[in-house]
Amino acid sequence: MKISKLLTLFLFCAAIPLHAQIRLPKLISDHMVLQRDQPLKIWGWASPKEKITLQFDRKTFKTTATAAGKWEIALPAHSAGTGYSMVLKGRSEIRITDIAFGDVWLCSGQSNMVINMERVKERFPADITSASYPEIRNFFVPTLTSLGGPAEDFPKGEWKTASPENVLTFGAVAYFFAREIYEKHKVPIGIINSSVGGTPIEAWIGEGGFKDFENIRQTIAQNKDTSYVNAFARIVTAVPQERTVADAGRAEHWENDAYQPKGWRNFNIPGYWEDQGLKELDGVVWFRKTIEVPQNWAGKPVKLYMGRIVDADEMYVNGKKIGNITYQYPPRRYEIPSSLLKAGRNTFVVRVTNSSEKGGFVPDKPYFMTTGSDTIDLKGTWQYKVGAVFPALPGRPTPRLVHQNQPTALYNAMIAPVLPLKIKGFLWYQGESNTGNPEPYNALLPALIKDWRAHWHEDHLPFLVAQLPNFQDIDYTPAESNIALLREAQNKALTLPNTAVAVTIDLGEWNDIHPLNKKDIGKRLALAARNLAYGEKDVIYSGPVLKSYSTENEKIILTFDHVGDGIFSSDSETLRWFAVAGDDRKFYWAEAEILGKDRVALRSGQVTSPKYVRYAWQDNPEGVNFYNSAGLPASPFRTDGQGAEAIQSHSTH
């Protein structure tokens, strides 16, 4: 009888779920920032019907979990402040400390929003050493995807306060933005950085945002079919992920200091090997150079900068590997141990692997090594030898289903779990992945803005966009440009209320899709936030914007808004990058003359009856000089595109 009772008791206890304790989402944790001045809710999970109490600010709040084990507790609005804690009790107890009330900004997009302060530490060293801002806090969302539907939580994540150590992991644009707002308003700032490099805008929109996109809705439905998705997984598994061939450099140890080079050729670093005698080579190329090191460098740690390398590299000094990077975008910054360099001759070897397009060393990047105040230039003549040649892949490319590029995949996994949290607004830095087909962006960006605002049940949440900066080769003739079309689509989002675009056409780098000047991008976004979200209506946050234009004999007269105290040339030279065209829409460069505070007159000897205007309509209109008195550049624009009639006040004199 006793055995039977014990067995019954054991089975009853076993039936109680092992997770019978309250659980909080990762966002509700130590150091979190909650949105000030708004009613809030704290939410989580527990056993079905479990009773939950929350003690906060000398008050007790109670609720009971649903039959599905979910619960939430409403909190009244709270003013800005720090140092708060709360205790949640059910069958278990959780204490959350160092809570702040302030403004929470959701920062999203692709790699330029991801890039952290560590990547720009050489550009902004003082900003890192001075980053002691305990009231600025960052929550970085790890890369996640979901094709099946919205997720409820993140598998991991934590709030970190800004310190010289922690700030290295903060997204640079988001940090500089947050610091500007904090310095002005002295309220805690929470950054939720939910961004993934190389992703299209479609991945960030929820399913409800695609009601006007029939083809995309069909794709979403198809992606919910697990058998369809799993078929792609089997295809990818069955195909080798990279071409593997024997590398002579590996076999013969070309990295060794004792190796005697034979048959090596000269190569000028920086540069691409396709431009220096190696035609359309995909494979492995080794580079080697003997460098004289002064006596006073021996025994010191040395920093080595090898610019950027396309695609992967391994760096050796005197036969010892000091580091490697597996893809092209990060800057090559390596540490040479103090014991490795010797006075006199030292051997430097770089093994570079490239699988498509041009391989080698990106021009106009830093190539040197340094210790203290001494530097040695690494540019110039090296020797190279081909270690391996990759054969062309046979047949058609293998179809793949890249989850992070699928519609809704990132919204479901990386935005939806944030929804219960009140926020101040959004920062958006994305578009590079959509430049191959920019036209749909005209509808997709407004769809994303409306979708996110609908999910937060606030139609006017500030939405601030970082416009794509100048990038790629400079074209010295008027040209067509997909990047310009994408910028135009970003500008069209301004038709929605409480939106702004931070123009960055002067902050890019011709040879880097990830420009380092994230500080000024953050500052310009902060100007927009101060005006739109913080009520500082005297803050100028936009450069000159075309208001109207008219023809006058052989001239076109442009009138601009957002000029502040007036428009001007930043370098006192004639305004550049204006082009005009007649009815044939063939554009020629125009002479530009500033007229008074807000007008510019254009003329071209090659266009007697000008009708259309383009400004900075290039991938990279380097050296733009058209600014307003607040030091903000005019956005690229055209009057020959769809919707241009809205700004046309066209009359002929």
Side-chain angles (χ1 to χ4, degrees):
M1 188 70 173
K2 290 182 179 180
I3 294 174
S4 176
K5 288 182 178 180
L6 286 172
L7 181 61
T8 301
L9 180 62
F10 172 78
L11 292 174
F12 174 78
C13 292
I16 299 175
L18 294 177
H19 60 278
Q21 57 184 359
I22 54 175
R23 180 170 66 85
L24 292 170
K26 298 299 183 294
L27 283 166
I28 306 298
S29 54
D30 293 346
H31 316 300
M32 68 178 174
V33 181
L34 295 174
Q35 182 58 45
R36 60 175 171 144
D37 302 330
Q38 291 192 37
L40 304 172
K41 67 179 177 181
I42 304 299
W43 73 100
W45 302 269
S47 297
K49 303 300 183 180
E50 184 174 351
K51 296 185 182 301
I52 311 295
T53 63
L54 185 154
Q55 295 174 347
F56 173 71
D57 205 16
R58 297 190 298 273
K59 296 183 179 66
T60 300
F61 304 85
K62 297 182 178 181
T63 191
T64 301
T66 67
K70 297 181 180 181
W71 59 267
E72 62 180 51
I73 292 174
L75 294 182
H78 200 290
S79 59
T82 58
Y84 296 94
S85 61
M86 61 176 60
V87 177
L88 291 113
K89 293 181 180 179
R91 293 178 181 171
S92 59
E93 179 176 311
I94 300 175
R95 178 178 294 272
I96 306 171
T97 61
D98 190 29
I99 300 169
F101 286 85
D103 292 330
V104 181
W105 288 88
L106 177 58
C107 305
S108 188
Q110 54 183 112
S111 54
N112 274 304
M113 187 65 87
V114 175
I115 285 176
N116 55 31
M117 292 293 286
E118 196 281 334
R119 278 279 289 272
V120 300
K121 63 184 180 182
E122 285 86 14
R123 180 74 177 263
F124 304 110
D127 295 290
I128 291 171
T129 57
S130 64
S132 296
Y133 291 92
E135 295 187 3
I136 297 177
R137 295 149 186 224
N138 183 74
F139 187 100
F140 185 78
V141 179
T143 297
L144 303 161
T145 62
S146 172
L147 299 179
E152 292 187 324
D153 195 11
F154 307 121
K156 60 181 179 179
E158 61 181 332
W159 289 93
K160 292 186 176 182
T161 59
S163 67
E165 298 77 25
N166 287 343
V167 80
L168 293 172
T169 64
F170 286 30
V173 167
Y175 172 70
F176 285 124
F177 168 86
R179 194 182 68 177
E180 287 292 307
I181 299 299
Y182 178 79
E183 292 283 15
K184 181 65 179 178
H185 289 277
K186 300 299 183 184
V187 297
I189 301 295
I191 306 162
I192 301 174
N193 193 324
S194 185
S195 314
V196 180
T199 54
I201 189 173
E202 292 91 332
W204 294 100
I205 302 173
E207 185 172 354
F210 289 114
K211 61 181 181 298
D212 297 325
F213 300 81
E214 177 61 30
N215 290 342
I216 294 178
R217 292 210 315 273
Q218 293 176 8
T219 299
I220 294 169
Q222 192 173 41
N223 286 343
K224 290 180 180 179
D225 182 348
T226 54
S227 62
Y228 170 79
V229 173
N230 291 339
F232 279 95
R234 288 192 294 271
I235 290 171
V236 172
T237 302
V239 176
Q241 293 301 296
E242 61 181 45
R243 293 168 283 183
T244 55
V245 296
D247 178 1
R250 287 269 197 242
E252 300 173 14
H253 294 286
W254 293 352
E255 77 280 6
N256 280 357
D257 193 26
Y259 166 76
Q260 296 298 313
K262 295 180 181 180
W264 291 59
R265 297 175 178 270
N266 287 344
F267 187 92
N268 192 54
I269 289 181
Y272 300 105
W273 62 61
E274 281 86 350
D275 297 332
Q276 299 191 43
L278 294 177
K279 183 179 180 180
E280 299 178 357
L281 172 69
D282 295 337
V284 179
V285 182
W286 294 70
F287 299 85
R288 186 180 181 92
K289 186 178 180 69
T290 300
I291 297 174
E292 290 283 339
V293 172
Q295 178 69 44
N296 64 347
W297 280 44
K300 293 182 179 179
V302 172
K303 292 183 178 180
L304 175 69
Y305 298 86
M306 283 301 289
R308 276 184 49 226
I309 298 174
V310 184
D311 286 303
D313 72 288
E314 298 172 18
M315 188 77 206
Y316 299 87
V317 175
N318 292 332
K320 302 295 184 182
K321 183 176 177 178
I322 63 169
N324 73 287
I325 291 178
T326 59
Y327 63 112
Q328 65 167 297
Y329 293 115
R332 271 49 178 185
R333 304 172 301 187
Y334 296 126
E335 302 281 343
I336 304 178
S338 58
S339 60
L340 192 52
L341 280 185
K342 55 190 178 185
R345 295 165 63 86
N346 293 260
T347 303
F348 288 68
V349 175
V350 191
R351 179 183 184 267
V352 179
T353 304
N354 176 256
S355 298
S356 65
E357 300 182 345
K358 290 185 175 182
F361 303 81
V362 176
D364 201 18
K365 291 291 180 181
Y367 294 85
F368 68 94
M369 58 180 178
T370 181
T371 181
S373 60
D374 297 332
T375 62
I376 294 177
D377 192 357
L378 298 177
K379 296 190 297 292
T381 302
W382 289 54
Q383 281 70 48
Y384 80 89
K385 192 171 184 178
V386 176
V389 177
F390 294 156
L393 290 173
R396 303 172 67 179
T398 302
R400 296 185 63 197
L401 188 72
V402 181
H403 287 211
Q404 70 179 34
N405 293 345
Q406 295 301 303
T408 75
L410 298 177
Y411 166 83
N412 287 340
M414 299 180 64
I415 299 297
V418 186
L419 289 179
L421 202 69
K422 291 285 187 179
I423 63 174
K424 183 73 170 180
F426 308 99
L427 302 188
W428 178 251
Y429 192 164
Q430 188 277 339
E432 298 91 339
S433 290
N434 288 89
T435 55
N437 181 24
E439 176 59 31
Y441 211 86
N442 288 285
L444 288 167
L445 181 55
L448 180 139
I449 296 171
K450 293 175 184 177
D451 182 55
W452 286 12
R453 285 174 168 176
H455 285 296
W456 266 273
H457 307 291
E458 294 189 49
D459 291 339
H460 288 76
L461 273 177
F463 197 101
L464 314 179
V465 178
Q467 192 185 78
L468 295 189
N470 50 308
F471 174 54
Q472 298 285 24
D473 295 337
I474 302 169
D475 196 327
Y476 285 97
T477 59
E480 299 302 327
S481 165
N482 275 9
I483 299 179
L485 287 168
L486 199 291
R487 296 185 191 116
E488 181 181 63
Q490 291 176 316
N491 283 339
K492 286 183 179 178
L494 295 174
T495 58
L496 296 175
N498 232 25
T499 58
V501 170
V503 176
T504 65
I505 197 65
D506 55 340
L507 302 179
E509 299 174 26
W510 75 268
N511 59 0
D512 203 331
I513 200 170
H514 303 127
L516 294 180
N517 190 358
K518 297 294 189 280
K519 186 174 185 177
D520 283 331
I521 296 174
K523 283 185 172 183
R524 289 178 186 177
L525 288 166
L527 288 174
R530 288 172 58 191
N531 185 290
L532 297 180
Y534 292 90
E536 297 181 59
K537 296 306 179 184
D538 59 334
V539 170
I540 300 172
Y541 65 90
S542 170
V545 175
L546 182 62
K547 177 183 179 182
S548 64
Y549 66 97
S550 62
T551 58
E552 185 176 311
N553 299 321
E554 295 181 356
K555 297 180 181 179
I556 290 185
I557 309 298
L558 310 175
T559 303
F560 293 88
D561 275 336
H562 299 281
V563 298
D565 293 331
I567 56 180
F568 76 103
S569 167
S570 60
D571 57 10
S572 301
E573 297 183 4
T574 302
L575 297 182
R576 293 184 285 271
W577 298 107
F578 279 101
V580 296
D583 287 324
D584 61 358
R585 297 177 184 258
K586 187 173 182 180
F587 282 88
Y588 298 90
W589 294 129
E591 299 174 14
E593 178 186 3
I594 297 175
L595 303 177
K597 178 180 178 179
D598 61 354
R599 295 190 301 159
V600 174
L602 303 178
R603 72 164 75 220
S604 172
Q606 295 165 293
V607 183
T608 56
S609 299
K611 186 175 181 179
Y612 303 108
V613 178
R614 290 182 174 183
Y615 170 68
W617 196 262
Q618 313 278 119
D619 290 347
N620 182 13
E622 187 177 72
V624 294
N625 60 352
F626 180 22
Y627 288 76
N628 63 14
S629 62
L632 297 174
S635 173
F637 66 85
R638 62 173 176 165
T639 66
D640 60 308
Q642 293 182 356
E645 296 77 10
I647 59 170
Q648 183 174 357
S649 174
H650 197 98
S651 60
T652 304
H653 300 278

